[in-house]
Amino acid sequence: MNKKLFKRFLPYVLKYKFFLLISFIALIFATLSSIIIPYLLKQAIDKYIAVENFQGLTRISMLFAAVCGVLFISKLVQIYFTNLTGQKIMQDLRIDLFKHLESLAVSFFSREPSGKIITRLTNDVENMNELLSSGIIALFGDMALLVFAVIFIFYINARLALIAIAPLPIAIASAILIGNKLERLYEKVRDYMVKINIEMQENLSGIVLVQAFNVEERNSEKFRQIAMGYRKTFYTAQMTGIKLRQIINLLSYISISLVIIFGGIFTLKGKATIGTLMAFLVYLNYLYRPLRDLADKFTILQNAISSMHKLNGFFEEKEIIKNPDNPVIKEIRGNVALRNVNFSYDKKTPTLKDINLTAKNGEKIALVGFTGAGKSTIANLILRFYDADSGVVTVDDIDVRKYRKEYMRSSMAIVLQNVFIFKGTVRDNITLGNDSITEEQIISAAKEIGVHSFIMKLPKGYDTELSTEGTNVSQGERQLISFARALVYNPKILLLDEATASIDTNTEELIEKGIKKLMEGRTSIVIAHRLSTIKNADRIYVINRGRIIEQGTHKDLMQKKGLYYELYTMQFEKV
C-alpha cells in the first residue's frame, strides 16, 4: 500500500479509533487465552491426571473454564466492534463517494459506464469492509498466535520444537510464492466482474432496443464469453488457493508425525511428557492455521488494495466544473447570450463554431436543425454542464463562470424529451425531494399545467408510486409531470430540449397548453423537431454542423427559403 492510499483512507479509520482500540484489546485477550489453554491442558495431564491429584485437577479445571470464558467474551467483543467499525467506515465511504460523484461534471458520466460506477459504490466499498473485519485484524491475530505458539513450544521443549517446525520454512515459502500468483489471478477476476456489471446494466437499461432490433442472441453470446472468462479465471484462482491449502495441510501433517514419533521417543526416554505431546499438537495447529488460511486472507487483502486504488481514482477525479472564488450574487432576470462561442466535447472535433445568439428576459427563442447539429450542446453550455472552449456564455450580461453553479441553476429548469422519472411518488417526482415546496404549490403547478385531474385518477393520487423511469404511466403523462416539476420551481429561464418530439397523441392538446403555460413570463429556449410549435417564437436560430446559418422569425425564414424553409416544408408534406 503506497503513501497516497494510506493518506486517503487513514482518516476514515482514525475516526473510529476508539472502537478499533477496544477491538485490538479484545483481540490481545483472545490471543493470550488461546495460547494459555494448551499450556493448562499440559499442566492438567502431567501434574494432576498422571498422579491422580483430583483436588489440583478441580482447581486447574476451574481456571481452564475461566480462561475459556475470557476467550469467548473477548472474541465476541472483538468481532462486534470490528464489524461495527467496518460498517461505519463503509457507510462514510459510500456517502463521501456519492457526494463526490454528484459534484463531477456531466462529461465524466458520459465517459464512465454506470455499471462501473455502481461496482465502485458497492463491491469495492464492501472489499474495504472485508479488509477490516476479516483481513487486517484477523491477520494480526493469526500472526500474534503464531509467534506466541513458537515461543511456548520452545519454552516447553526446545529440542522437540526444532524438530516440529522443520517443515515450517517450506510452508512459509509456498505461501509467499503461491500467494503472488493468487494476487494476479484475483486481479483478473475483479476485472471480469466489472465487465459483467457493465454488460448487465447496459443490456437491462436498453432492453427495449435490444428486443426491438433482435440482438438478444448476439448480446447473450457476448455476455456468455465474459461469464466464461470469469468462471475459468475464478476456478483457476480457487484451485490455486486449494493447492496452497493442501500443501500447508501436508506439511502440518508432517509436523504432527514428527511430534508423535520424536515426542514419543522423548517421552519413553523421560525427556518429554504426554502433556507436552498434547500441547504441541494444539500449538502446531496454531502455527499452520494462519498459513492455511493465508489464501483467503491474501485474497481479501489484495481485493481491498485493488479496490482502494480504484476508489482513490474516483476520489481524485478532477473533472469538475468549478465555482468561482468570489461569485456574483444578484437576482437573475433571465437574459441569456452566447458570444463567439466555440466548443468541442473531445477537444478535437468542433461541435459548435462561432455561436452568437441572445434571448432577452421573457423572450421565446427556438433552435432548429438536423440531429447532431449542436442544439442540445447549447443548452448544456447555458446550464454550465460544460464550459465553452472560447467565447463567453452570459446570464444577465455576466459570464456564467462568475456565478455559483447551484445559484445560477436554481433560476433555470430543463424539460427533456426523454423524461426521467425516479422511483417514488408523483409528489416526489414533482418536488425532487425539496421539502420547502408546499402541497399548495404542487397542486397549483399541476392544475396550471393540466395534469392535476390525471394525477387524481391514479390509485393514491399524488402518493401513487411510480416505477423506475415511469413505466406505469404513458409518455405523455410523464411529459406533463416533468412540466409540473419545472413550473413548481418557478424558473426565470426555461430550456425545452426537444420536449415536443415524443408526444402521446391522446394528450397532445393538453401538452401544448402546458407548454404555453410553462413559458409564460419566462425566457424560453426551445429545441424542437415539430416546427409548427415554434411559429410564434420571437426568434428562430437554424443550426447546421455547429454553426448558425439562419436566424429570424418564422415569417422571415420562410421568405428566405433556406434550410428552415426546407425543414418546415418537409414536415408539412409529411403531415
Side-chain angles (χ1 to χ4, degrees):
M1 188 188 300
N2 59 39
K3 188 184 290 184
K4 186 184 290 186
L5 290 182
F6 191 76
K7 188 177 179 181
R8 165 71 68 188
F9 295 105
L10 184 61
Y12 288 98
V13 177
L14 292 180
K15 184 178 178 181
Y16 302 104
K17 56 182 178 289
F18 178 70
F19 290 160
L20 281 175
L21 180 62
I22 294 173
S23 183
F24 272 109
I25 291 171
L27 180 65
I28 291 168
F29 274 100
T31 303
L32 292 175
S33 300
S34 297
I35 286 295
I36 291 171
I37 285 172
Y39 186 75
L40 291 176
L41 180 63
K42 174 191 178 305
Q43 296 295 90
I45 293 171
D46 293 341
K47 288 189 176 182
Y48 304 112
I49 295 175
V51 297
E52 297 184 2
N53 184 344
F54 294 109
Q55 189 176 2
L57 182 62
T58 302
R59 287 197 303 270
I60 202 165
S61 296
M62 292 175 66
L63 179 60
F64 187 89
V67 172
C68 288
V70 172
L71 175 61
F72 173 78
I73 292 170
S74 56
K75 284 298 289 183
L76 199 64
V77 171
Q78 181 247 313
I79 291 168
Y80 174 79
F81 279 100
T82 300
N83 285 331
L84 177 65
T85 305
Q87 290 296 322
K88 284 182 174 292
I89 289 173
M90 192 164 60
Q91 172 187 287
D92 292 347
L93 265 174
R94 283 206 176 108
I95 291 171
D96 288 352
L97 186 59
F98 188 81
K99 284 181 179 177
H100 179 69
L101 286 170
E102 286 204 318
S103 72
L104 294 177
V106 173
S107 55
F108 171 81
F109 300 96
S110 301
R111 175 169 48 84
E112 294 286 349
S114 55
K116 182 178 177 182
I117 296 170
I118 292 167
T119 300
R120 296 290 170 268
L121 279 165
T122 53
N123 295 21
D124 287 321
V125 174
E126 180 60 41
N127 286 341
M128 295 284 290
N129 177 47
E130 285 290 317
L131 173 66
L132 190 67
S133 60
S134 304
I136 288 180
I137 291 180
L139 192 64
F140 176 81
D142 286 344
M143 292 302 103
L145 202 60
L146 190 151
V147 170
F148 279 120
V150 170
I151 292 170
F152 265 74
I153 62 174
F154 272 93
Y155 171 74
I156 293 169
N157 193 313
R159 287 178 65 191
L160 187 58
L162 284 171
I163 295 169
I165 66 170
L168 192 61
I170 301 172
I172 293 171
S174 299
I176 293 170
L177 291 173
I178 297 176
N180 288 331
K181 185 178 180 181
L182 277 171
E183 176 186 358
R184 295 189 294 272
L185 285 169
Y186 276 106
E187 182 65 34
K188 290 182 180 179
V189 168
R190 287 188 294 273
D191 290 340
Y192 271 116
M193 180 53 69
V194 170
K195 290 177 183 178
I196 285 173
N197 286 341
I198 292 171
E199 199 67 23
M200 286 181 67
Q201 190 275 330
E202 288 181 350
N203 275 274
L204 292 175
S205 297
I207 191 66
V208 174
L209 286 175
V210 169
Q211 293 181 354
F213 285 92
N214 297 315
V215 292
E216 295 97 330
E217 287 296 325
R218 191 184 310 156
N219 287 3
S220 294
E221 177 58 26
K222 183 180 177 183
F223 185 80
R224 192 182 74 82
Q225 292 295 330
I226 297 171
M228 189 184 299
Y230 175 84
R231 178 186 63 79
K232 288 179 178 178
T233 309
F234 188 72
Y235 175 76
T236 304
Q238 279 192 317
M239 290 307 297
T240 304
I242 290 169
K243 286 176 186 175
L244 173 60
R245 204 170 285 113
Q246 292 309 311
I247 290 171
I248 302 299
N249 281 338
L250 176 63
L251 293 169
S252 70
Y253 296 150
I254 293 172
S255 287
I256 291 169
S257 300
L258 291 172
V259 168
I260 292 172
I261 295 168
F262 287 94
I265 293 170
F266 289 168
T267 302
L268 292 174
K269 290 183 177 181
K271 296 179 180 179
T273 64
I274 298 296
T276 298
L277 295 184
M278 294 296 293
F280 259 72
L281 293 175
V282 178
Y283 283 129
L284 283 178
N285 182 52
Y286 290 169
L287 283 174
Y288 284 98
R289 189 178 68 193
L291 297 175
R292 195 181 294 119
D293 295 341
L294 187 63
D296 297 329
K297 297 291 191 299
F298 203 83
T299 301
I300 291 169
L301 184 63
Q302 290 305 320
N303 276 340
I305 292 173
S306 175
S307 294
M308 288 167 75
H309 277 288
K310 291 168 182 175
L311 289 172
N312 188 57
F314 267 30
F315 275 121
E316 290 194 335
E317 181 60 56
K318 301 300 182 185
E319 206 163 334
I320 296 172
I321 302 295
K322 294 182 179 179
N323 282 318
D325 294 330
N326 298 299
V328 172
I329 300 175
K330 58 173 288 189
E331 184 180 356
I332 291 176
R333 299 189 305 275
N335 298 301
V336 178
L338 280 76
R339 298 170 187 162
N340 306 315
V341 167
N342 293 278
F343 177 76
S344 169
Y345 285 104
D346 59 6
K347 308 305 177 187
K348 296 176 183 178
T349 308
T351 306
L352 296 178
K353 307 166 193 172
D354 197 28
I355 296 294
N356 288 277
L357 64 81
T358 58
K360 295 180 180 177
N361 180 24
E363 278 190 334
K364 173 185 174 181
I365 71 163
L367 308 177
V368 301
F370 294 112
T371 301
K375 307 183 297 296
S376 297
T377 302
I378 291 173
N380 287 336
L381 293 177
I382 294 170
L383 284 159
R384 211 188 164 209
F385 290 151
Y386 300 87
D387 280 334
D389 296 337
S390 63
V392 64
V393 181
T394 66
V395 171
D396 292 342
D397 297 319
I398 296 172
D399 190 332
V400 292
R401 290 169 292 193
K402 293 184 179 179
Y403 291 105
R404 280 185 59 83
K405 302 189 300 287
E406 299 80 6
Y407 176 77
M408 184 185 72
R409 289 172 188 166
S410 68
S411 297
M412 299 179 178
I414 184 168
V415 177
L416 300 170
Q417 175 188 356
N418 298 317
V419 177
F420 190 86
I421 296 293
F422 293 91
K423 183 172 174 57
T425 64
V426 174
R427 178 184 289 100
D428 291 339
N429 269 281
I430 292 174
T431 65
L432 295 179
N434 187 340
D435 295 331
S436 66
I437 298 173
T438 65
E439 186 74 9
E440 290 73 19
Q441 289 174 309
I442 296 168
I443 294 172
S444 175
K447 283 181 176 178
E448 287 188 61
I449 292 299
V451 73
H452 176 72
S453 58
F454 150 69
I455 294 172
M456 295 310 295
K457 289 176 184 176
L458 294 173
K460 294 183 181 179
Y462 286 87
D463 293 317
T464 301
E465 285 281 335
L466 299 178
S467 60
T468 304
E469 298 186 10
T471 53
N472 55 340
V473 292
S474 71
Q475 170 68 23
E477 289 159 350
R478 292 198 294 273
Q479 198 85 68
L480 289 168
I481 290 172
S482 74
F483 290 167
R485 177 191 294 166
L487 186 61
V488 82
Y489 275 84
N490 193 26
K492 298 293 180 65
I493 301 165
L494 179 69
L495 297 112
L496 277 76
D497 189 350
E498 302 185 329
T500 60
S502 295
I503 294 176
D504 186 307
T505 306
N506 296 327
T507 54
E508 183 168 358
E509 186 177 341
L510 194 60
I511 286 177
E512 291 291 342
K513 290 179 181 178
I515 290 173
K516 288 179 182 178
K517 185 65 186 177
L518 194 57
M519 292 192 296
E520 278 182 11
R522 295 180 174 86
T523 305
S524 301
I525 300 170
V526 182
I527 304 168
H529 287 306
R530 297 190 182 192
L531 304 187
S532 59
T533 62
I534 56 167
K535 287 167 65 175
N536 297 321
D538 294 300
R539 216 161 24 264
I540 299 170
Y541 293 90
V542 183
I543 303 169
N544 189 35
R545 296 180 180 179
R547 293 184 184 277
I548 295 175
I549 59 170
E550 297 175 14
Q551 60 177 291
T553 63
H554 170 75
K555 184 178 179 181
D556 294 338
L557 294 174
M558 290 298 288
Q559 288 176 348
K560 288 182 180 179
K561 294 191 176 183
L563 180 58
Y564 180 83
Y565 175 84
E566 290 179 19
L567 292 170
Y568 188 85
T569 305
M570 194 185 306
Q571 286 192 8
F572 181 76
E573 287 175 352
K574 286 181 181 179
V575 175

